[in-house]
Amino acid sequence: MKGEGKMVLNSRMKWVGLVGLVLSAFSLFIHFLLARFSAEAIVDYQSSITLFSWRPIFESPLFPITSPMYRRLWGPVRRLEFLHPDANPRGHYADVSSPTNGFIFVRIQGGFHEIRNSICDVVVVSRLLNATLVIPEIQSTTSKKGISSEFKSFAYLYNEEQFMAALAKDVKVVKTLPKNLKWARRKKEIPSFKVRYSASPFYYLNRVLVVLKRHSVVELVVSEGGCLQAILPSQLQHNEELQRLRCRVAFHALRFRQEVKELATKILLRLRAPGRPFIAYDPGMTRDALAYHGCAELFQDVHTELIQHKRSWMMKRGIVKGKLPVNSAKQRLNGSCPLMPEEVGILLRAYGYSWDTIIYVSGGEVFGGQRTLIPLHSMFENVVDRTSLSTPWELTWIYGREANLDSSYPSTPPSIEKEMKHEAWKTAGPRPRPLPPPPARPKSYNIEGWWGWVAESDNEPESTVMELRTNAHKLLWDAIDYVICIEANAFIPGFDRDGKGHPNFASLVMGHRLYQSAALKTYRPDRKEVAKLFEKIQDHLYHANHTWLKSVRKHMRKRLIDGLIEASTKSKPMSFLSHPVPECSCLMYDSTETEVHASSPSTQSQVQAALGVAHQCPAWMKSDLILRSKDKDNEEDLDEDDSTSSGLFFRQGGENHESGGGESNNKEEAQMDDQEELEGGER
């Protein structure tokens, strides 16, 4: 009996031990999940578990904030510090009158920057016509595209409540049409206008308003990224107030929905967690833009053929005029092609940014894939994007609950008889170089493009539901990138035009930065001048001499102001939001600035006159002005005394610096170079 009792006891002890082990394992698993998905643990980069693909590497210490080198690289542009945002109405501005002339229902097509431009325009049109605006419908985010039913249309990207509340005094906004008009729209019984790009306000006053009053509702279809001309005619009453309304829409009413805003904030915190400033870079290298501007030969192999095929498609639809073959080298020298990531990397290194500078790459699509970013990664250790600063779970969370779809792409294009393929190949006319692969060669679908069909059809294949869903996701990706680019310590675009020749995503970012914080570093390199600079060192690209480095630094500093002034004549006529000055800005100086301004009017006044800003900021804004430190008094002298050489390109700790990879051995020569450049660069 004693033996049996011991056996039972031992058996029970084993079971208790086994249960304890299971509970311990389960507890560890739960703790891992909490650490995996909690925001507090994610921000902690010292965790032993790598949650992100990016772990920052720094070897060189950050320059002190008061040092000349820090001010050159990260400090504010002093000649723009007088510029402050002011989009409030000035003088007499009546509240929205009631009753209105009817309802305006808008369907918007296009990408992120086109949607944003269009929304601002339709609000101004509604104010102009004294109409009630139904919250616009974003076509690429309707539920039939396979996206989540939690967020539909406008609410997929933006906060509807914020939009309505912010515009309460400007335009009457409702969520839906009344029932009777909604039914009439479903039966296609309401008048519809397909509005062309940059339509005149008198088009709406003379044509649309008459129909609106007669039917109490009109539908506008906007597909070009803007349905109202950017610079409103002077004879239009209250034209400047309508421009300021555009600013209130773009910079105050259009706020991203909560989930998107939270993720963007998390990524921004992770970027700033190391305690260092960072640069945001938008490549602007989309297939449509490359095809429109004739930049196919910047790439190789099938990507060149893809661009040419797209250009041919654009020509057949009248989007592009001219001939199919384009000399891409000539286009590049004319400044019509994007700066390649390699070129941007060299410019930043030449200007003085060290190899461990944090660079955030924005953009839902970098044509050519990640391999085009390899040179940039080789020059900068800490190149990141949203995917390396967030988890897949976080990105999935902002999409909402979506139905399961077959995400696998077809392994081969639709079957065509081999004989037909060969016959079509033989009888085909002249093709751009390089030729597509022969039909007998096996091909498969690639997510970067539809190159499996290039040799078989003149048209792109119909988009699958998965592709439509991805297009909707790209809007959310762009929204995250937009927030980060606005808040970056410095911003540099690779290109500022889209696939229709209009200002693109980067232009919107530069316009928002100009409005919100004009003095932040926003580089606007002249692509034509940059191409000439690279022509001079094409045979020794990574071993540039100090004369060339000085030329680059001078160009980059000069374009901080000259590029901004140039935008008023090149970008603003196509997109007001790319340059919302002077209508949405005001002048404000503190006491020290007033003295400096009075003693040296030749610098500040020239910029002020060129930008056309004359309105003084209201008194209530002056109470919010944060006075700068006393170091400001000596800022000019400190900025001139830059005794640190910017170095050349490939300098990393512990490596041999002899082959163009370190600081100049002659510090006195480097000091003289920087002194000369600083004396002429910003005056």
PDB file of all heavy atoms in Angstrom, residues 108-121 197 222-227 288 475 498-500 502-505 508:
ATOM      1  N   ILE A 108     -13.695  61.754 -57.552  1.00  0.00           N
ATOM      2  CA  ILE A 108     -12.293  62.111 -57.794  1.00  0.00           C
ATOM      3  C   ILE A 108     -11.495  60.863 -58.143  1.00  0.00           C
ATOM      4  O   ILE A 108     -11.569  59.843 -57.447  1.00  0.00           O
ATOM      5  CB  ILE A 108     -11.679  62.800 -56.556  1.00  0.00           C
ATOM      6  CG1 ILE A 108     -12.434  64.091 -56.258  1.00  0.00           C
ATOM      7  CG2 ILE A 108     -10.208  63.088 -56.769  1.00  0.00           C
ATOM      8  CD1 ILE A 108     -11.983  64.791 -54.999  1.00  0.00           C
ATOM      9  N   GLN A 109     -10.733  60.953 -59.203  1.00  0.00           N
ATOM     10  CA  GLN A 109      -9.861  59.871 -59.632  1.00  0.00           C
ATOM     11  C   GLN A 109      -8.405  60.336 -59.569  1.00  0.00           C
ATOM     12  O   GLN A 109      -8.136  61.528 -59.668  1.00  0.00           O
ATOM     13  CB  GLN A 109     -10.215  59.439 -61.066  1.00  0.00           C
ATOM     14  CG  GLN A 109     -11.655  58.981 -61.231  1.00  0.00           C
ATOM     15  CD  GLN A 109     -12.067  58.842 -62.673  1.00  0.00           C
ATOM     16  OE1 GLN A 109     -11.345  59.236 -63.582  1.00  0.00           O
ATOM     17  NE2 GLN A 109     -13.261  58.293 -62.903  1.00  0.00           N
ATOM     18  N   GLY A 110      -7.483  59.378 -59.430  1.00  0.00           N
ATOM     19  CA  GLY A 110      -6.071  59.731 -59.438  1.00  0.00           C
ATOM     20  C   GLY A 110      -5.342  59.235 -58.211  1.00  0.00           C
ATOM     21  O   GLY A 110      -5.884  58.505 -57.377  1.00  0.00           O
ATOM     22  N   GLY A 111      -4.084  59.647 -58.108  1.00  0.00           N
ATOM     23  CA  GLY A 111      -3.234  59.259 -56.993  1.00  0.00           C
ATOM     24  C   GLY A 111      -3.313  60.252 -55.846  1.00  0.00           C
ATOM     25  O   GLY A 111      -4.148  61.161 -55.825  1.00  0.00           O
ATOM     26  N   PHE A 112      -2.410  60.108 -54.890  1.00  0.00           N
ATOM     27  CA  PHE A 112      -2.461  60.887 -53.648  1.00  0.00           C
ATOM     28  C   PHE A 112      -2.446  62.385 -53.910  1.00  0.00           C
ATOM     29  O   PHE A 112      -3.305  63.126 -53.431  1.00  0.00           O
ATOM     30  CB  PHE A 112      -1.281  60.499 -52.748  1.00  0.00           C
ATOM     31  CG  PHE A 112      -1.225  61.259 -51.460  1.00  0.00           C
ATOM     32  CD1 PHE A 112      -1.922  60.828 -50.351  1.00  0.00           C
ATOM     33  CD2 PHE A 112      -0.478  62.430 -51.357  1.00  0.00           C
ATOM     34  CE1 PHE A 112      -1.880  61.535 -49.153  1.00  0.00           C
ATOM     35  CE2 PHE A 112      -0.432  63.151 -50.173  1.00  0.00           C
ATOM     36  CZ  PHE A 112      -1.131  62.694 -49.073  1.00  0.00           C
ATOM     37  N   HIS A 113      -1.460  62.866 -54.666  1.00  0.00           N
ATOM     38  CA  HIS A 113      -1.343  64.319 -54.862  1.00  0.00           C
ATOM     39  C   HIS A 113      -2.488  64.849 -55.717  1.00  0.00           C
ATOM     40  O   HIS A 113      -2.935  65.987 -55.531  1.00  0.00           O
ATOM     41  CB  HIS A 113       0.018  64.671 -55.479  1.00  0.00           C
ATOM     42  CG  HIS A 113       0.199  64.234 -56.896  1.00  0.00           C
ATOM     43  ND1 HIS A 113       0.530  62.943 -57.237  1.00  0.00           N
ATOM     44  CD2 HIS A 113       0.091  64.915 -58.072  1.00  0.00           C
ATOM     45  CE1 HIS A 113       0.624  62.849 -58.554  1.00  0.00           C
ATOM     46  NE2 HIS A 113       0.360  64.024 -59.087  1.00  0.00           N
ATOM     47  N   GLU A 114      -2.980  64.044 -56.651  1.00  0.00           N
ATOM     48  CA  GLU A 114      -4.106  64.479 -57.483  1.00  0.00           C
ATOM     49  C   GLU A 114      -5.393  64.598 -56.650  1.00  0.00           C
ATOM     50  O   GLU A 114      -6.177  65.536 -56.815  1.00  0.00           O
ATOM     51  CB  GLU A 114      -4.304  63.500 -58.636  1.00  0.00           C
ATOM     52  CG  GLU A 114      -3.142  63.509 -59.616  1.00  0.00           C
ATOM     53  CD  GLU A 114      -3.189  62.353 -60.594  1.00  0.00           C
ATOM     54  OE1 GLU A 114      -3.548  61.233 -60.172  1.00  0.00           O
ATOM     55  OE2 GLU A 114      -2.858  62.560 -61.766  1.00  0.00           O
ATOM     56  N   ILE A 115      -5.589  63.646 -55.754  1.00  0.00           N
ATOM     57  CA  ILE A 115      -6.766  63.680 -54.873  1.00  0.00           C
ATOM     58  C   ILE A 115      -6.723  64.908 -53.973  1.00  0.00           C
ATOM     59  O   ILE A 115      -7.719  65.628 -53.817  1.00  0.00           O
ATOM     60  CB  ILE A 115      -6.842  62.388 -54.036  1.00  0.00           C
ATOM     61  CG1 ILE A 115      -7.168  61.190 -54.931  1.00  0.00           C
ATOM     62  CG2 ILE A 115      -7.873  62.520 -52.917  1.00  0.00           C
ATOM     63  CD1 ILE A 115      -7.005  59.857 -54.246  1.00  0.00           C
ATOM     64  N   ARG A 116      -5.565  65.170 -53.414  1.00  0.00           N
ATOM     65  CA  ARG A 116      -5.440  66.304 -52.480  1.00  0.00           C
ATOM     66  C   ARG A 116      -5.682  67.634 -53.189  1.00  0.00           C
ATOM     67  O   ARG A 116      -6.389  68.512 -52.681  1.00  0.00           O
ATOM     68  CB  ARG A 116      -4.052  66.273 -51.832  1.00  0.00           C
ATOM     69  CG  ARG A 116      -3.953  67.080 -50.551  1.00  0.00           C
ATOM     70  CD  ARG A 116      -2.644  66.807 -49.832  1.00  0.00           C
ATOM     71  NE  ARG A 116      -2.537  67.586 -48.618  1.00  0.00           N
ATOM     72  CZ  ARG A 116      -2.974  67.200 -47.423  1.00  0.00           C
ATOM     73  NH1 ARG A 116      -3.565  66.032 -47.293  1.00  0.00           N
ATOM     74  NH2 ARG A 116      -2.830  67.974 -46.372  1.00  0.00           N
ATOM     75  N   ASN A 117      -5.090  67.800 -54.362  1.00  0.00           N
ATOM     76  CA  ASN A 117      -5.322  69.015 -55.144  1.00  0.00           C
ATOM     77  C   ASN A 117      -6.802  69.173 -55.497  1.00  0.00           C
ATOM     78  O   ASN A 117      -7.371  70.263 -55.409  1.00  0.00           O
ATOM     79  CB  ASN A 117      -4.491  68.977 -56.430  1.00  0.00           C
ATOM     80  CG  ASN A 117      -3.106  69.584 -56.244  1.00  0.00           C
ATOM     81  OD1 ASN A 117      -2.944  70.552 -55.530  1.00  0.00           O
ATOM     82  ND2 ASN A 117      -2.119  69.004 -56.892  1.00  0.00           N
ATOM     83  N   SER A 118      -7.419  68.059 -55.919  1.00  0.00           N
ATOM     84  CA  SER A 118      -8.809  68.103 -56.377  1.00  0.00           C
ATOM     85  C   SER A 118      -9.763  68.467 -55.246  1.00  0.00           C
ATOM     86  O   SER A 118     -10.716  69.239 -55.447  1.00  0.00           O
ATOM     87  CB  SER A 118      -9.204  66.752 -56.982  1.00  0.00           C
ATOM     88  OG  SER A 118      -8.403  66.443 -58.109  1.00  0.00           O
ATOM     89  N   ILE A 119      -9.538  67.917 -54.063  1.00  0.00           N
ATOM     90  CA  ILE A 119     -10.424  68.226 -52.930  1.00  0.00           C
ATOM     91  C   ILE A 119     -10.378  69.716 -52.611  1.00  0.00           C
ATOM     92  O   ILE A 119     -11.416  70.354 -52.379  1.00  0.00           O
ATOM     93  CB  ILE A 119     -10.036  67.387 -51.699  1.00  0.00           C
ATOM     94  CG1 ILE A 119     -10.340  65.902 -51.947  1.00  0.00           C
ATOM     95  CG2 ILE A 119     -10.787  67.873 -50.459  1.00  0.00           C
ATOM     96  CD1 ILE A 119      -9.828  64.981 -50.861  1.00  0.00           C
ATOM     97  N   CYS A 120      -9.183  70.289 -52.595  1.00  0.00           N
ATOM     98  CA  CYS A 120      -9.056  71.726 -52.319  1.00  0.00           C
ATOM     99  C   CYS A 120      -9.787  72.546 -53.375  1.00  0.00           C
ATOM    100  O   CYS A 120     -10.446  73.548 -53.058  1.00  0.00           O
ATOM    101  CB  CYS A 120      -7.584  72.123 -52.268  1.00  0.00           C
ATOM    102  SG  CYS A 120      -6.679  71.345 -50.930  1.00  0.00           S
ATOM    103  N   ASP A 121      -9.694  72.110 -54.628  1.00  0.00           N
ATOM    104  CA  ASP A 121     -10.352  72.847 -55.710  1.00  0.00           C
ATOM    105  C   ASP A 121     -11.869  72.783 -55.609  1.00  0.00           C
ATOM    106  O   ASP A 121     -12.566  73.786 -55.804  1.00  0.00           O
ATOM    107  CB  ASP A 121      -9.895  72.301 -57.066  1.00  0.00           C
ATOM    108  CG  ASP A 121      -8.484  72.739 -57.422  1.00  0.00           C
ATOM    109  OD1 ASP A 121      -7.899  73.519 -56.646  1.00  0.00           O
ATOM    110  OD2 ASP A 121      -7.959  72.306 -58.458  1.00  0.00           O
ATOM    111  N   TYR A 197      -8.794  69.744 -66.601  1.00  0.00           N
ATOM    112  CA  TYR A 197      -7.767  70.206 -65.669  1.00  0.00           C
ATOM    113  C   TYR A 197      -7.657  71.734 -65.717  1.00  0.00           C
ATOM    114  O   TYR A 197      -7.683  72.346 -66.780  1.00  0.00           O
ATOM    115  CB  TYR A 197      -6.422  69.571 -66.039  1.00  0.00           C
ATOM    116  CG  TYR A 197      -5.252  70.051 -65.215  1.00  0.00           C
ATOM    117  CD1 TYR A 197      -5.072  69.595 -63.913  1.00  0.00           C
ATOM    118  CD2 TYR A 197      -4.335  70.958 -65.732  1.00  0.00           C
ATOM    119  CE1 TYR A 197      -4.000  70.021 -63.152  1.00  0.00           C
ATOM    120  CE2 TYR A 197      -3.256  71.387 -64.982  1.00  0.00           C
ATOM    121  CZ  TYR A 197      -3.096  70.920 -63.694  1.00  0.00           C
ATOM    122  OH  TYR A 197      -2.032  71.352 -62.939  1.00  0.00           O
ATOM    123  N   VAL A 222     -13.734  64.574 -61.601  1.00  0.00           N
ATOM    124  CA  VAL A 222     -12.409  65.199 -61.645  1.00  0.00           C
ATOM    125  C   VAL A 222     -11.359  64.104 -61.740  1.00  0.00           C
ATOM    126  O   VAL A 222     -11.298  63.221 -60.881  1.00  0.00           O
ATOM    127  CB  VAL A 222     -12.161  66.059 -60.385  1.00  0.00           C
ATOM    128  CG1 VAL A 222     -10.844  66.793 -60.490  1.00  0.00           C
ATOM    129  CG2 VAL A 222     -13.302  67.033 -60.170  1.00  0.00           C
ATOM    130  N   SER A 223     -10.544  64.143 -62.788  1.00  0.00           N
ATOM    131  CA  SER A 223      -9.589  63.051 -62.998  1.00  0.00           C
ATOM    132  C   SER A 223      -8.168  63.510 -63.288  1.00  0.00           C
ATOM    133  O   SER A 223      -7.275  62.694 -63.421  1.00  0.00           O
ATOM    134  CB  SER A 223     -10.062  62.175 -64.174  1.00  0.00           C
ATOM    135  OG  SER A 223     -10.149  62.944 -65.362  1.00  0.00           O
ATOM    136  N   GLU A 224      -7.935  64.810 -63.378  1.00  0.00           N
ATOM    137  CA  GLU A 224      -6.608  65.284 -63.774  1.00  0.00           C
ATOM    138  C   GLU A 224      -5.801  65.853 -62.612  1.00  0.00           C
ATOM    139  O   GLU A 224      -4.704  66.364 -62.818  1.00  0.00           O
ATOM    140  CB  GLU A 224      -6.748  66.350 -64.867  1.00  0.00           C
ATOM    141  CG  GLU A 224      -7.322  65.821 -66.170  1.00  0.00           C
ATOM    142  CD  GLU A 224      -6.354  64.905 -66.900  1.00  0.00           C
ATOM    143  OE1 GLU A 224      -5.140  65.160 -66.862  1.00  0.00           O
ATOM    144  OE2 GLU A 224      -6.819  63.924 -67.500  1.00  0.00           O
ATOM    145  N   GLY A 225      -6.360  65.810 -61.405  1.00  0.00           N
ATOM    146  CA  GLY A 225      -5.600  66.326 -60.267  1.00  0.00           C
ATOM    147  C   GLY A 225      -5.771  67.812 -60.058  1.00  0.00           C
ATOM    148  O   GLY A 225      -4.841  68.503 -59.633  1.00  0.00           O
ATOM    149  N   GLY A 226      -6.935  68.341 -60.340  1.00  0.00           N
ATOM    150  CA  GLY A 226      -7.192  69.764 -60.141  1.00  0.00           C
ATOM    151  C   GLY A 226      -8.224  70.243 -61.125  1.00  0.00           C
ATOM    152  O   GLY A 226      -8.035  70.113 -62.330  1.00  0.00           O
ATOM    153  N   CYS A 227      -9.328  70.802 -60.634  1.00  0.00           N
ATOM    154  CA  CYS A 227     -10.410  71.218 -61.525  1.00  0.00           C
ATOM    155  C   CYS A 227     -10.595  72.725 -61.536  1.00  0.00           C
ATOM    156  O   CYS A 227     -11.601  73.224 -62.033  1.00  0.00           O
ATOM    157  CB  CYS A 227     -11.710  70.528 -61.122  1.00  0.00           C
ATOM    158  SG  CYS A 227     -12.241  70.893 -59.431  1.00  0.00           S
ATOM    159  N   ASP A 288       5.091  56.307 -64.998  1.00  0.00           N
ATOM    160  CA  ASP A 288       4.360  57.296 -65.791  1.00  0.00           C
ATOM    161  C   ASP A 288       5.188  58.559 -66.008  1.00  0.00           C
ATOM    162  O   ASP A 288       5.218  59.109 -67.112  1.00  0.00           O
ATOM    163  CB  ASP A 288       3.048  57.657 -65.091  1.00  0.00           C
ATOM    164  CG  ASP A 288       2.033  56.532 -65.147  1.00  0.00           C
ATOM    165  OD1 ASP A 288       2.363  55.471 -65.720  1.00  0.00           O
ATOM    166  OD2 ASP A 288       0.923  56.690 -64.616  1.00  0.00           O
ATOM    167  N   LEU A 475      -2.271  54.786 -51.284  1.00  0.00           N
ATOM    168  CA  LEU A 475      -2.701  56.083 -50.771  1.00  0.00           C
ATOM    169  C   LEU A 475      -2.365  56.221 -49.288  1.00  0.00           C
ATOM    170  O   LEU A 475      -1.948  57.292 -48.830  1.00  0.00           O
ATOM    171  CB  LEU A 475      -4.209  56.260 -50.978  1.00  0.00           C
ATOM    172  CG  LEU A 475      -4.704  56.312 -52.428  1.00  0.00           C
ATOM    173  CD1 LEU A 475      -6.225  56.423 -52.452  1.00  0.00           C
ATOM    174  CD2 LEU A 475      -4.081  57.467 -53.187  1.00  0.00           C
ATOM    175  N   ASP A 498       4.847  64.867 -62.353  1.00  0.00           N
ATOM    176  CA  ASP A 498       4.236  63.544 -62.415  1.00  0.00           C
ATOM    177  C   ASP A 498       4.101  63.078 -63.859  1.00  0.00           C
ATOM    178  O   ASP A 498       4.719  63.637 -64.767  1.00  0.00           O
ATOM    179  CB  ASP A 498       2.880  63.545 -61.704  1.00  0.00           C
ATOM    180  CG  ASP A 498       1.857  64.459 -62.393  1.00  0.00           C
ATOM    181  OD1 ASP A 498       2.141  64.970 -63.497  1.00  0.00           O
ATOM    182  OD2 ASP A 498       0.767  64.655 -61.834  1.00  0.00           O
ATOM    183  N   GLY A 499       3.273  62.055 -64.063  1.00  0.00           N
ATOM    184  CA  GLY A 499       3.120  61.470 -65.390  1.00  0.00           C
ATOM    185  C   GLY A 499       2.250  62.266 -66.337  1.00  0.00           C
ATOM    186  O   GLY A 499       1.947  61.796 -67.443  1.00  0.00           O
ATOM    187  N   LYS A 500       1.860  63.480 -65.941  1.00  0.00           N
ATOM    188  CA  LYS A 500       1.129  64.379 -66.843  1.00  0.00           C
ATOM    189  C   LYS A 500       1.844  65.711 -66.982  1.00  0.00           C
ATOM    190  O   LYS A 500       1.315  66.654 -67.573  1.00  0.00           O
ATOM    191  CB  LYS A 500      -0.297  64.607 -66.314  1.00  0.00           C
ATOM    192  CG  LYS A 500      -1.164  63.359 -66.268  1.00  0.00           C
ATOM    193  CD  LYS A 500      -2.570  63.706 -65.813  1.00  0.00           C
ATOM    194  CE  LYS A 500      -3.453  62.456 -65.757  1.00  0.00           C
ATOM    195  NZ  LYS A 500      -3.109  61.598 -64.608  1.00  0.00           N
ATOM    196  N   HIS A 502       2.509  67.637 -64.423  1.00  0.00           N
ATOM    197  CA  HIS A 502       2.045  68.522 -63.358  1.00  0.00           C
ATOM    198  C   HIS A 502       2.913  68.326 -62.106  1.00  0.00           C
ATOM    199  O   HIS A 502       3.596  67.298 -61.973  1.00  0.00           O
ATOM    200  CB  HIS A 502       0.586  68.220 -63.016  1.00  0.00           C
ATOM    201  CG  HIS A 502      -0.329  68.291 -64.197  1.00  0.00           C
ATOM    202  ND1 HIS A 502      -1.500  67.562 -64.286  1.00  0.00           N
ATOM    203  CD2 HIS A 502      -0.253  68.996 -65.352  1.00  0.00           C
ATOM    204  CE1 HIS A 502      -2.098  67.820 -65.437  1.00  0.00           C
ATOM    205  NE2 HIS A 502      -1.360  68.683 -66.093  1.00  0.00           N
ATOM    206  N   PRO A 503       2.893  69.278 -61.174  1.00  0.00           N
ATOM    207  CA  PRO A 503       3.598  69.081 -59.898  1.00  0.00           C
ATOM    208  C   PRO A 503       3.139  67.810 -59.191  1.00  0.00           C
ATOM    209  O   PRO A 503       1.957  67.471 -59.203  1.00  0.00           O
ATOM    210  CB  PRO A 503       3.209  70.342 -59.107  1.00  0.00           C
ATOM    211  CG  PRO A 503       2.969  71.376 -60.151  1.00  0.00           C
ATOM    212  CD  PRO A 503       2.330  70.626 -61.292  1.00  0.00           C
ATOM    213  N   ASN A 504       4.075  67.106 -58.584  1.00  0.00           N
ATOM    214  CA  ASN A 504       3.791  65.793 -58.012  1.00  0.00           C
ATOM    215  C   ASN A 504       3.778  65.819 -56.480  1.00  0.00           C
ATOM    216  O   ASN A 504       3.661  66.870 -55.858  1.00  0.00           O
ATOM    217  CB  ASN A 504       4.801  64.770 -58.537  1.00  0.00           C
ATOM    218  CG  ASN A 504       6.217  65.056 -58.042  1.00  0.00           C
ATOM    219  OD1 ASN A 504       6.481  66.062 -57.386  1.00  0.00           O
ATOM    220  ND2 ASN A 504       7.134  64.167 -58.351  1.00  0.00           N
ATOM    221  N   PHE A 505       3.919  64.650 -55.892  1.00  0.00           N
ATOM    222  CA  PHE A 505       3.909  64.479 -54.435  1.00  0.00           C
ATOM    223  C   PHE A 505       4.958  65.378 -53.779  1.00  0.00           C
ATOM    224  O   PHE A 505       4.680  66.056 -52.782  1.00  0.00           O
ATOM    225  CB  PHE A 505       4.177  63.005 -54.114  1.00  0.00           C
ATOM    226  CG  PHE A 505       4.317  62.682 -52.648  1.00  0.00           C
ATOM    227  CD1 PHE A 505       3.212  62.310 -51.902  1.00  0.00           C
ATOM    228  CD2 PHE A 505       5.550  62.731 -52.020  1.00  0.00           C
ATOM    229  CE1 PHE A 505       3.336  62.008 -50.548  1.00  0.00           C
ATOM    230  CE2 PHE A 505       5.692  62.428 -50.673  1.00  0.00           C
ATOM    231  CZ  PHE A 505       4.576  62.060 -49.939  1.00  0.00           C
ATOM    232  N   LEU A 508       3.918  68.974 -53.516  1.00  0.00           N
ATOM    233  CA  LEU A 508       2.975  69.215 -52.423  1.00  0.00           C
ATOM    234  C   LEU A 508       3.704  69.297 -51.081  1.00  0.00           C
ATOM    235  O   LEU A 508       3.381  70.135 -50.240  1.00  0.00           O
ATOM    236  CB  LEU A 508       1.935  68.100 -52.366  1.00  0.00           C
ATOM    237  CG  LEU A 508       0.764  68.155 -53.346  1.00  0.00           C
ATOM    238  CD1 LEU A 508      -0.282  67.119 -52.966  1.00  0.00           C
ATOM    239  CD2 LEU A 508       0.133  69.525 -53.396  1.00  0.00           C
TER     240      LEU A 508
END
